[in-house]
Amino acid sequence: DTGVSQNPRHKITKRGQNVTFRCDPISEHNRLYWYRQTLGQGPEFLTYFQNEAQLEKSRLLSDRFSAERPKGSFSTLEIQRTEQGDSAMYLCASSLSLTTGRTNTEAFFGQGTRLTVV
Amino acid sequence: AQSVTQLDSHVSVSEGTPVLLRCNYSSSYSPSLFWYVQHPNKGLQLLLKYTSAATLVKGINGFEAEFKKSETSFHLTKPSAHMSDAAEYFCVVSDRTSGTYKYIFGTGTRLKVLA
């Protein structure tokens, strides 16, 4: 399967613990995105990488959240000192940038990591 | 700033009748627009996309959408609903308003198909 892969699929953690999620994008895609989705809501943008550079972070991304994309390949999202409000589905997506124009290609999404903080 | 408004949070149709899911967008530049579908416990799947080519866009499973710049709309339609169409649908806009190519999602429309 050459789609976007996320691990783990499910994570249950105690409040105050740190968690890390991994995303493996489609291999030739240079853009990688993290989103958060809560029940009954649309995905909310968290952060975005072009190759290894983190180009934008949402205000939703508090100091407890950090994302990396070393060497422009896979990415990790770490949440420190988890809170119950962090419980959500964390989605990763990747896309291929166009060299010209202002339009954007489509993003391909992984199945997500469901985080439950107890 | 770019934004998306999905006008209906829930839509119910009978099997075999037409589907209309409404979406209005706000964008400073020529946007790219997408419709994604999310079935329960499944990932987001692209239905169709508009990226400044033909204004009437055909997608998978018989869905299509029309880009109307004057109305800032991108409504999703299907002539005849099937039970398997029951899912959550998201309208998405992307442009370079903020200098990056992020995707902004609407709040979603849950489609229910009645037998």
Side-chain angles (χ1 to χ4, degrees):
Chain A
D1 183 37
T2 57
V4 178
S5 177
Q6 292 189 246
N7 288 289
R9 294 290 309 278
H10 303 272
K11 178 72 177 179
I12 299 174
T13 190
K14 291 183 179 179
R15 189 174 53 187
Q17 296 295 305
N18 299 344
V19 294
T20 300
F21 310 142
R22 177 178 171 123
C23 172
D24 288 274
I26 293 171
S27 59
E28 64 268 26
H29 285 183
N30 54 352
R31 292 183 184 155
L32 187 145
Y33 305 81
W34 285 98
Y35 284 79
R36 180 171 66 190
Q37 185 177 24
T38 53
L39 199 62
Q41 299 296 317
E44 295 174 299
F45 171 78
L46 292 179
T47 190
Y48 150 72
F49 292 83
Q50 174 129 348
N51 300 312
E52 66 275 10
Q54 188 173 19
L55 295 187
E56 187 171 350
K57 292 172 59 174
S58 165
R59 282 172 290 180
L60 293 174
L61 215 63
S62 75
D63 291 344
R64 296 185 297 106
F65 288 70
S66 62
E68 295 182 342
R69 193 184 182 197
K71 301 179 183 178
S73 56
F74 71 93
S75 176
T76 58
L77 178 68
E78 181 183 16
I79 309 174
Q80 296 181 327
R81 304 180 303 281
T82 52
E83 301 173 355
Q84 287 188 322
D86 298 331
S87 295
M89 177 74 84
Y90 289 84
L91 297 169
C92 177
S94 69
S95 70
L96 182 64
S97 65
L98 297 174
T99 55
T100 59
R102 293 180 170 145
T103 58
N104 201 5
T105 58
E106 67 268 32
F108 294 81
F109 283 81
Q111 298 270 56
T113 295
R114 182 170 297 283
L115 173 67
T116 303
V117 182
V118 297
Chain B
Q2 47 188 325
S3 66
V4 173
T5 301
Q6 291 186 243
L7 299 162
D8 306 291
S9 58
H10 294 82
V11 170
S12 291
V13 299
S14 297
E15 190 176 22
T17 64
V19 176
L20 170 63
L21 304 183
R22 298 182 295 165
C23 172
N24 287 101
Y25 70 91
S26 172
S27 173
S28 301
Y29 297 109
S30 297
S32 297
L33 292 159
F34 311 86
W35 276 98
Y36 283 83
V37 61
Q38 189 174 40
H39 288 93
N41 300 315
K42 299 278 187 182
L44 286 158
Q45 181 185 17
L46 179 71
L47 275 179
L48 50 79
K49 62 181 179 181
Y50 166 78
T51 54
S52 75
T55 56
L56 183 61
V57 181
K58 294 187 184 299
I60 61 171
N61 301 334
F63 284 94
E64 62 181 39
E66 186 171 8
F67 173 70
K68 292 187 177 180
K69 186 175 181 179
S70 61
E71 298 176 10
T72 61
S73 69
F74 190 58
H75 302 333
L76 182 71
T77 61
K78 183 174 181 177
S80 176
H82 191 272
M83 296 298 289
S84 61
D85 294 329
E88 188 89 19
Y89 290 80
F90 293 99
C91 183
V92 180
V93 65
S94 180
D95 66 23
R96 288 195 65 189
T97 300
S98 62
T100 60
Y101 287 99
K102 64 186 177 188
Y103 301 84
I104 302 299
F105 281 73
T107 51
T109 298
R110 183 165 295 278
L111 177 64
K112 187 175 181 179
V113 182
L114 307 171

